[in-house]
Amino acid sequence: MSITPDEATALGHKVWTALQNYRAESEAGQTPVLLQKSAEELAANMGLEGWLRNGGLSVDNVEKFLKPYLADSQHMHHPGFVGHQVAVPHLGCSIADMVHGVVNNPMAVYEMGPTAAVIERVVVNWMLEKIGWRPKDSLTDFENVAKNGAGVLTHGGSLANLTAILAARAAIAPNAWEDGVPNNLALIAPAASHYSMARAVSIAGFGQKALHLAAVDALEVLRPEQLEKTWARATEAGQQVFLVSVNACTTATGLYDPIDEVADFCAAHNLWLHVDGAHGASALLSSCERQLMKGIERADSMIWDAHKMLQTSALCAGVLFRNQRHLVEAFQQEGSYIFYGEDQPGFDVAPFTVECTKAHLGTKLFWVLAMEGEAGMAKFVEKQYADTKDFYRQIQAEPDFSCPYKPQSNILCFLHQPDAPGKQSAIRKKVLERGKFYITTAEVNGIRYLRLAIMNPLTTRQTIADLLDEIRICAKLV
Ligand SMILES: *Cc1c(COP(=O)(O)O)cnc(C)c1O
């Protein structure tokens, strides 16, 4: 099928206009956030089988597909979207994704995407600078100065966690690549870690028996003074602990583990400190919230999802190392047909990632930064964190609601009182059925809470007041 530039422009214009209308309607709260339907109904509404078999989608009929597709999507721009921790994408990202969809450079091999490769390196350097693993004002200095850190972008935080664990494995057991993993190695992480950590432990060949749970307080925050005990227990059992992983912040509560204290422990025992900053590392941008990450420069590795708190469309995650050797040695595998030597311009990142073909992940984040600047980005994080503290006070002031803690980030758990077994989950189900809000739940220390992630800058006190009223209605219906 050949399409002229004029026809392509007309189709693009139509789709882009529909998307901007979608965004505006969502932002104005004129649509449901999400109306749950069966898979069969959705497939029928979109006419999937017909399109797939017969083709023919064009400028003349595109709305037949696009309308139901958008109407039945999760409307993340809607102020009532207070569910999962995925960014409401900045306009810059929407454009960046469109650009990539045309240019489509698989940039992990430099010559297959030189512009996107350079942008990724600059964005990674920017992340490293924010941690303190690179000197300031050197973003476009591409020399691998040995004392600087290094990193790559991956398709998501789960892959970034896996990459960090593989790098730590290579550091403690360099022969593991060749011989397999020694069976006495052990890791310590709190139970509240994201499930991708436990998966990474098994994928990397350690097995779940190597994973020791760190002691936590009633809000599942790691207790650093208890690490010694966990370490001693593993050591007495003949295991060699080589890594401690902490959360900044945890997925369920949004509370930060104390990085600096854990760094003291790791320094005393010569252990690798991994910080899962998928959600919360963005606090590094803000001079007032940065203290939540105190001690981060002492870690060995950190992950940072731009598609959570940096307004970037999915996916864009950084896995970052204080010591650049650790990145280089994570995957000890020759692939001489793509990994060129010194005489080639630029740099290939394929040797340092699980992926081979890779999208222009850095370009997405770059577009947001290029439109907002660093200061605008910091302001966004500060606003979401401050608003969430404000919503906490608002919810606490209601006699029929209670929060178990004052939030440190933009994640907030709360209960509709009086609580009863299964009640909060039943409320959530009802809220979703009615489609005005999208919320989640989380279990913390055995108690199931309603949970908000305030990702949307348009969510206001009025939104929360309306949500509380909706929950009261739903509580009567369950
Ligand atoms: C979201 C999250 C992850 C997983 O990141 P993905 O990009 O969804 O793969 C890992 N750790 C924490 C703490 C998270 O919040």
Side-chain angles (χ1 to χ4, degrees):
M1 188 176 177
S2 78
I3 294 184
T4 67
D6 280 351
E7 287 165 350
T9 303
L11 177 58
H13 191 263
K14 210 165 185 185
V15 172
W16 185 253
T17 305
L19 287 172
Q20 294 319 311
N21 289 338
Y22 162 86
R23 187 165 69 95
E25 273 174 28
S26 303
E27 286 180 354
Q30 289 164 346
T31 62
V33 184
L34 170 73
L35 279 184
Q36 292 182 310
K37 294 180 184 166
S38 73
E40 290 77 10
E41 196 180 347
L42 292 177
N45 287 354
M46 291 185 280
L48 295 188
E49 182 136 8
W51 288 120
L52 191 150
R53 301 268 179 225
N54 309 319
L57 188 74
S58 75
V59 68
D60 301 323
N61 57 20
V62 64
E63 54 281 306
K64 257 170 81 184
F65 166 74
L66 202 56
K67 239 180 146 178
Y69 178 88
L70 294 176
D72 289 332
S73 69
Q74 170 76 266
H75 292 68
M76 302 181 59
H77 302 80
H78 192 298
F81 171 78
V82 283
H84 289 293
Q85 305 149 263
V86 186
V88 179
H90 191 279
L91 177 64
C93 274
S94 309
I95 294 172
D97 279 335
M98 183 177 69
V99 173
H100 177 67
V102 177
V103 179
N104 194 36
N105 277 194
M107 48 59 64
V109 175
Y110 186 85
E111 63 189 30
M112 283 302 293
T115 46
V118 172
I119 292 175
E120 167 166 328
R121 180 61 68 90
V122 170
V123 163
V124 164
N125 286 349
W126 176 77
M127 288 178 158
L128 291 166
E129 178 193 297
K130 294 303 164 204
I131 302 172
W133 290 345
R134 252 191 97 83
K136 283 203 188 339
D137 302 323
S138 69
L139 297 183
T140 55
D141 173 2
F142 302 123
E143 292 295 321
N144 286 319
V145 179
K147 64 179 186 350
N148 292 347
V152 282
L153 299 181
T154 68
H155 288 83
S158 303
L159 214 44
N161 270 334
L162 174 63
T163 307
I165 294 299
L166 291 172
R169 188 186 77 171
I172 188 73
N175 294 332
W177 189 267
E178 207 55 37
D179 301 336
V181 183
N183 64 9
N184 66 332
L185 292 176
L187 315 82
I188 300 177
S193 301
H194 189 264
Y195 71 86
S196 60
M197 273 308 295
R199 278 193 181 176
V201 167
S202 279
I203 296 170
F206 296 108
Q208 292 301 301
K209 285 185 181 151
L211 184 55
H212 295 266
L213 297 183
V216 294
D217 67 14
L219 293 168
E220 299 188 341
V221 177
L222 185 143
R223 295 175 62 189
E225 77 286 359
Q226 297 290 317
L227 280 170
E228 191 79 35
K229 251 194 218 156
T230 311
W231 177 86
R233 222 177 302 124
T235 307
E236 277 157 31
Q239 289 185 308
Q240 183 191 355
V241 176
F242 73 100
L243 176 144
V244 179
S245 174
V246 301
N247 297 300
C249 48
T250 66
T251 308
T253 63
L255 296 173
Y256 286 72
D257 287 333
I259 299 171
D260 212 25
E261 280 98 322
V262 179
D264 289 339
F265 174 80
C266 288
H269 293 277
N270 195 22
L271 306 177
W272 181 295
L273 172 56
H274 174 64
V275 177
D276 184 341
H279 183 92
S282 297
L284 289 170
L285 303 184
S286 154
S287 53
C288 53
E289 303 294 354
R290 201 185 153 88
Q291 37 81 25
L292 293 165
M293 300 289 293
K294 185 163 180 278
I296 186 60
E297 68 287 346
R298 303 170 67 194
D300 294 281
S301 56
M302 187 189 92
I303 74 158
W304 186 352
D305 278 4
H307 57 275
K308 287 191 171 154
M309 286 306 288
L310 295 182
Q311 298 174 271
T312 302
S313 59
L315 297 159
C316 173
V319 54
L320 307 146
F321 300 92
R322 174 160 50 85
N323 180 340
Q324 62 176 261
R325 256 195 40 228
H326 288 147
L327 171 68
V328 173
E329 292 170 0
F331 302 96
Q332 297 188 2
Q333 187 182 40
E334 294 296 324
S336 55
Y337 62 99
I338 42 174
F339 305 154
Y340 298 112
E342 302 270 298
D343 54 336
Q344 298 287 334
F347 28 75
D348 298 341
V349 295
F352 316 122
T353 57
V354 175
E355 302 103 311
C356 173
T357 304
K358 230 179 83 168
H360 72 143
L361 309 175
T363 311
K364 289 140 72 79
L365 172 54
F366 171 79
W367 267 83
V368 188
L369 278 163
M371 288 178 77
E372 295 292 333
E374 294 180 287
M377 216 65 152
K379 243 194 200 149
F380 170 77
V381 175
E382 284 167 5
K383 172 177 157 49
Q384 298 313 107
Y385 278 32
D387 282 359
T388 307
K389 289 190 182 79
D390 191 35
F391 301 158
Y392 157 80
R393 288 186 286 271
Q394 182 185 358
I395 294 171
Q396 280 290 68
E398 300 291 327
D400 50 346
F401 287 95
S402 69
C403 306
Y405 59 88
K406 183 178 175 200
Q408 287 183 318
S409 63
N410 57 328
I411 297 173
L412 175 60
C413 291
F414 65 109
L415 291 173
H416 183 255
Q417 297 286 12
D419 194 19
K423 180 181 160 187
Q424 311 298 325
S425 295
I427 289 175
R428 179 204 183 233
K429 191 158 172 259
K430 205 35 106 190
V431 168
L432 262 57
E433 271 169 30
R434 289 161 54 94
K436 290 187 185 161
F437 294 89
Y438 183 79
I439 62 174
T440 54
T441 70
E443 195 179 304
V444 181
N445 202 13
I447 301 171
R448 176 68 55 181
Y449 293 92
L450 295 167
R451 173 179 174 276
L452 308 180
I454 308 299
M455 305 302 293
N456 193 329
L458 298 178
T459 300
T460 62
R461 278 183 82 91
Q462 188 57 52
T463 318
I464 300 300
D466 294 344
L467 170 63
L468 297 184
D469 283 342
E470 178 74 358
I471 289 171
R472 289 181 178 115
I473 292 168
C474 291
K476 288 208 182 104
L477 297 173
V478 301

